[in-house]
Amino acid sequence: MTSFRERRLPEPATPTPPVAPGLGRAIGAYQDAVVRLGGLDPVTTELVRLRCARQHQCFT
Amino acid sequence: MLAPDLDERLARFAPEVHEVITTLHGELWQALDPEILELCRLRIAGLQGDGRESARPAPNTPVSVEKAAAIGDWPDSLLFSDRERACLAFTEQFVGDVAGTTQDDVDALLAHFSPGEVQAFVSALLALDQHQRLALGLRTVLAPQEE
């Protein structure tokens, strides 16, 4: 059985450029913009962020 | 291209998010074969019961009318390739229970795609799924107040 933190994609033998680098940058920009929104207080925003991370098994 | 009602609501209520999510939805189609991504977009719409998303024109690459009509029956339909089946199976797991995704689910994708392609595909899937959940949520919450 795979543990949550076990890497699920094999490491490339040699450094490999990302398939869609613009997509990775766009997701980062989107997430940054969302957490900077001012309509919700910072503590509630952080609680939602942590809940989403747990749901997606994201430990970064 | 965002769903029209989501596009309008984000521009009005969260313009700083509107700009970046619009960029994101332009970029995601570079992740993998856009026809596969379109099939996944349609499957997500079906799983979430979003008839408006199912009916709107393809934001990038349209699929055949026959395939679009058979999307809910992909396990039994002969119209779909093994690559498409692997992606649709992963999409169903992702949308239904993302925390329950297993190594077997990932390995099924790795049988057809490189690790980099799998990473890009899952990123695109995240964006497609979030878009539809956001559109549905805002439609449910805001539409009654807008009438």
Side-chain angles (χ1 to χ4, degrees):
Chain A
M1 182 168 172
T2 304
S3 72
F4 283 166
R5 297 185 190 218
E6 189 172 326
R7 180 173 289 275
R8 288 180 168 173
L9 291 175
E11 289 278 13
T14 56
T16 309
V19 170
L23 176 57
R25 284 193 297 271
I27 287 177
Y30 169 66
Q31 291 173 337
D32 288 349
V34 168
V35 298
R36 281 198 297 264
L37 284 171
L40 209 57
D41 68 89
V43 173
T44 306
T45 299
E46 178 62 5
L47 287 173
V48 171
R49 189 190 70 82
L50 290 170
R51 180 68 185 92
C52 291
R54 177 176 290 270
Q55 180 69 11
H56 284 263
Q57 297 177 13
C58 179
F59 298 97
T60 57
Chain B
M1 185 174 69
L2 303 179
D5 61 331
L6 179 63
D7 189 60
E8 187 275 326
R9 288 189 175 111
L10 284 179
R12 187 154 39 113
F13 295 117
E16 54 278 67
V17 171
H18 177 260
E19 183 180 338
V20 291
I21 199 173
T22 300
T23 301
L24 172 57
H25 280 264
E27 292 286 348
L28 75 85
W29 301 98
Q30 311 299 318
L32 204 71
D33 178 348
E35 184 175 347
I36 292 180
L37 293 175
E38 173 62 7
L39 290 172
C40 295
R41 184 188 71 84
L42 291 171
R43 187 65 192 117
I44 294 170
L47 291 168
Q48 296 184 347
D50 189 346
R52 199 181 296 191
E53 180 71 16
S54 295
R56 81 173 170 115
N60 190 282
T61 302
V63 298
S64 70
V65 175
E66 292 77 15
K67 271 183 150 174
I71 192 72
D73 298 320
W74 69 264
D76 299 319
S77 171
L78 299 177
L79 294 173
F80 300 92
S81 69
D82 289 343
R83 284 160 53 97
E84 291 166 343
R85 289 171 185 282
C87 290
L88 288 166
F90 192 91
T91 298
E92 293 195 349
Q93 179 63 45
F94 188 95
V95 172
D97 178 19
V98 68
T101 305
T102 66
Q103 186 65 48
D104 286 346
D105 297 322
V106 177
D107 289 345
L109 291 175
L110 288 169
H112 301 281
F113 304 100
S114 72
E117 288 172 325
V118 170
Q119 182 178 9
F121 168 65
V122 175
S123 297
L125 208 53
L126 172 73
L128 288 169
D129 185 44
Q130 283 187 340
H131 168 278
Q132 295 191 30
R133 290 179 191 271
L134 186 58
L136 269 176
L138 290 180
R139 201 176 294 151
T140 303
V141 171
L142 296 178
Q145 300 174 21
E146 293 168 344
E147 287 173 357

